[in-house]
Amino acid sequence: MQEGNQKYKHALGIYIHVPFCSSTCDFCAFYQERPSKKKIDSYFLALGEEILKSGLVHAVDTVFIGGGTPGILKSEELEQMCELISRLGLKDKAEWTIELAPNEVTSEKLSALKKGGVNRISLGVQTFDSKLMDALGRKHGPEKVFRAYELIREMDFEAVNLDLIFGIPNQKLEDWESDMGKAVELQPDHLSTYCLTFEEDTALYHRLAKGELSIDHEREALFYEHAWEYLPKRGYQQYEISNYAKDGFASIHNLNTWKMNEWVGFGPSACSQYQLKRWKNPSNLEKWEYGVKEGFSTSDYEEFTELTNEIIAEDAILFGLRMNQGINVLEIADRFQLADEYTEELFDFFENLKNEGFVERNQEWISLTKEGRIRADSIAVEIPALSEREY
Ligand code: SF4
C-alpha cells in the first residue's frame, strides 16, 4: 500500500518465472536455461522458500506464470507449483494465467493446472506460417497450435489468449492479415500482438548487427495500424497498444501493471513493485537460490529502487497512455498528491499534443489518437519530468 494516500487500494499481482527452455528462440531476451532434473529440483526448493518468506500483507488478485517455458514442467511439477502459489493467499476468483508453448500442451498438464486453480491459458502461437516460424527459430508448426488449442478448449478454461508476433523478417502485410485471420477463426477470448524487437544478445540482433536484417519503423507502423483496424471489426476490442479482448476478457494482471499498482515476482529475473520498492531478482539460478536461502540485501538484486510517489506517478502516466481509455489526470494527481503546478503543466503539455492531433481530451481524461499511438514512445520521453522537481 502506498504511504500517504490510503484512498487508493492497490490490486496485487503475482508473477512466477519458470526459467527453463529446451532451446533458445532467435528473438529471445528472457532469462532461461536448459532444464535438468537437478536444476528443476533446486528451483522448486528455492521457489517454495521464496514464497514462504514473502510475507505479503494482502490477498492476491492475479497470478501469472511465465518464462521461460512453464509447460516444460511435468504435470506433477505443475501441480506442485500451483500448490505453492496457493499458499500466497489468493482472493476468490483470482485471475490465474499460465503461458504455454504449443509443443508442451498435453491433457495431463492441462488437467493438473485446472485442478490447481489456473483459469486462463496464454498460448504462444507467434505465427501460423511455418516459414516465418523458422525465421524466429521456433520449433512448432501450425498443426501443433491447432491441436493444443483444441485440448485447451476441451478442458473448459475460463479464458484463452493467443500471442502473435508481427514485423518478422520477410513477413508481408498479407501474411500478417492471414495470421490474424487464423487466430480470429479459433475464437480465443483475448489476443496479444507483439512487434518483433531486436534485443541485444539475441540471434536476431546479431544478424541485424551483421547487416543481414534491417529495422523498418514505417513497415512496423503499418502492421500496428492494420491490427488496430482489423481486429476490432471482428469482435476484439483494443484496450492497449498491443492487446485486444472480447467483452469482459481484458487481462486484469496486465491492467494492474499499466496502472502502476503492485506486483511481486518469484523466481530468477522476476521483477517486483511492492510497498514503495522496485526490484529485480538475479537472472541466474544459483545467485537467486543463494539469495533466497541467505536473504537478499539490496545489492544482491539485479536492480533495486526506492520508489517515491513522483516516480510511480510518472510511470502511471507513461504506461497509462498505452491503454485506449487513457489516463484520468486529476485522479493521478489525487492518488499521488501531485502539486497543482505540475498538474497544470501536464494539461498544457497534452493541450499541445491535442493541437498536433496526437491526443484526445474528454474532460480530465487524456488518451492517444491513432497517430499518437504510433508515436507513443517518443511522446513518453517528452512527458514533463516530475521526479527531480521541488515545488
Ligand atoms: S520459449 Fe520463450 S523464453 Fe524460451 S527461448 Fe523461446 S521466447 Fe525465449
Side-chain angles (χ1 to χ4, degrees):
M1 181 69 54
Q2 297 287 309
E3 280 156 11
N5 194 342
Q6 300 294 316
K7 197 161 106 194
Y8 293 94
K9 300 252 180 261
H10 294 165
L12 174 63
I14 293 298
Y15 174 72
I16 309 279
H17 190 76
V18 181
F20 304 112
C21 290
S22 47
S23 61
T24 303
C25 301
D26 289 359
F27 57 96
C28 182
F30 297 114
Y31 169 61
Q32 36 88 21
E33 300 209 3
R34 298 295 86 83
S36 68
K37 176 156 185 348
K38 196 166 158 240
K39 281 186 195 168
I40 292 180
D41 286 350
S42 61
Y43 166 77
F44 266 96
L45 267 182
L47 185 69
E49 194 169 345
E50 194 176 31
I51 285 176
L52 189 74
K53 289 178 171 170
S54 61
L56 302 182
V57 293
H58 52 292
V60 174
D61 294 84
T62 64
V63 177
F64 195 100
I65 308 173
T69 318
I72 216 169
L73 300 174
K74 296 187 194 126
S75 43
E76 310 85 80
E77 291 162 341
L78 290 169
E79 231 171 84
Q80 188 189 349
M81 176 165 282
C82 292
E83 198 273 313
L84 290 176
I85 293 169
S86 302
R87 294 183 196 171
L88 285 165
L90 272 53
K91 282 191 183 158
D92 266 1
K93 303 209 172 103
E95 179 189 275
W96 188 339
T97 310
I98 188 166
E99 261 176 9
L100 293 176
N103 273 349
E104 318 289 348
V105 174
T106 66
S107 319
E108 292 73 35
K109 290 181 192 177
L110 292 172
S111 140
L113 291 167
K114 181 121 199 240
K115 216 168 87 205
V118 172
N119 46 33
R120 199 170 164 110
I121 302 287
S122 179
L123 189 64
V125 175
Q126 320 312 353
T127 169
F128 292 91
D129 183 321
S130 313
K131 281 203 295 299
L132 296 175
M133 189 65 85
D134 277 351
L136 293 173
R138 290 288 286 226
K139 304 263 179 265
H140 65 261
E143 66 296 338
K144 290 273 189 190
V145 174
F146 296 126
R147 180 68 192 132
Y149 188 80
E150 207 177 287
L151 288 177
I152 293 166
R153 281 307 197 194
E154 276 168 15
M155 208 61 73
D156 217 14
F157 285 90
E158 281 171 31
V160 181
N161 166 59
L162 301 183
D163 269 352
L164 297 176
I165 289 190
F166 62 86
I168 305 168
N170 299 321
Q171 186 183 28
K172 300 190 193 66
L173 207 55
E174 307 90 89
D175 301 328
W176 176 222
E177 181 167 320
S178 158
D179 268 348
M180 289 191 288
K182 288 189 175 120
V184 167
E185 267 172 44
L186 290 175
Q187 287 291 297
D189 308 288
H190 188 283
L191 279 164
S192 295
T193 61
Y194 298 111
C195 183
L196 183 68
T197 51
F198 293 80
E199 306 286 343
E200 272 186 54
D201 290 331
T202 62
L204 274 186
Y205 182 84
H206 292 304
R207 288 182 63 199
L208 182 74
K210 278 198 246 162
E212 292 171 20
L213 301 171
S214 57
I215 296 180
D216 180 346
H217 291 303
E218 276 178 30
R219 178 172 155 264
E220 286 173 1
L222 283 178
F223 280 65
Y224 267 115
E225 285 175 314
H226 197 43
W228 298 343
E229 288 286 320
Y230 185 92
L231 293 171
K233 284 188 190 144
R234 286 155 183 85
Y236 293 90
Q237 286 320 310
Q238 187 188 8
Y239 68 102
E240 192 262 354
I241 288 183
S242 302
N243 286 280
Y244 305 79
K246 288 187 177 175
D247 247 6
F249 286 97
S251 158
I252 304 169
H253 186 82
N254 288 345
L255 288 167
N256 183 37
T257 313
W258 299 319
K259 289 179 181 168
M260 286 295 120
N261 289 325
E262 293 188 303
W263 56 90
V264 178
F266 296 89
S269 82
C271 297
S272 305
Q273 172 164 302
Y274 190 57
Q275 300 202 315
L276 289 179
K277 292 181 180 58
R278 194 179 276 170
W279 68 93
K280 181 175 185 186
N281 282 350
S283 299
N284 174 295
L285 207 49
E286 287 78 31
K287 281 192 190 156
W288 165 71
E289 286 169 3
Y290 183 81
V292 169
K293 204 156 155 244
E294 301 298 322
F296 284 107
S297 62
T298 53
S299 60
D300 297 329
Y301 291 120
E302 200 162 299
E303 290 160 26
F304 180 84
T305 315
E306 297 272 2
L307 296 174
T308 59
N309 264 348
E310 286 73 22
I311 295 176
I312 312 176
E314 272 181 15
D315 288 341
I317 296 166
L318 205 136
F319 286 93
L321 283 173
R322 294 186 59 90
M323 297 185 284
N324 286 48
Q325 69 167 22
I327 53 169
N328 182 323
V329 176
L330 293 186
E331 190 183 293
I332 288 181
D334 182 41
R335 173 177 162 194
F336 296 107
Q337 300 166 350
L338 305 182
D340 291 346
E341 293 92 320
Y342 179 78
T343 312
E344 276 162 32
E345 197 180 329
L346 210 47
F347 275 127
D348 289 345
F349 169 73
F350 286 126
E351 194 58 32
N352 288 334
L353 287 179
K354 187 176 147 215
N355 295 335
E356 292 176 79
F358 297 142
V359 304
E360 277 165 3
R361 180 169 173 185
N362 183 359
Q363 299 184 359
E364 63 265 30
W365 282 90
I366 303 286
S367 59
L368 295 178
T369 58
K370 208 163 86 176
E371 292 69 29
R373 264 182 255 143
I374 290 290
R375 289 167 185 76
D377 290 342
S378 40
I379 290 175
V381 291
E382 284 166 27
I383 293 170
L386 177 62
S387 37
E388 277 148 29
R389 348 178 141 217
E390 281 181 29
Y391 281 109

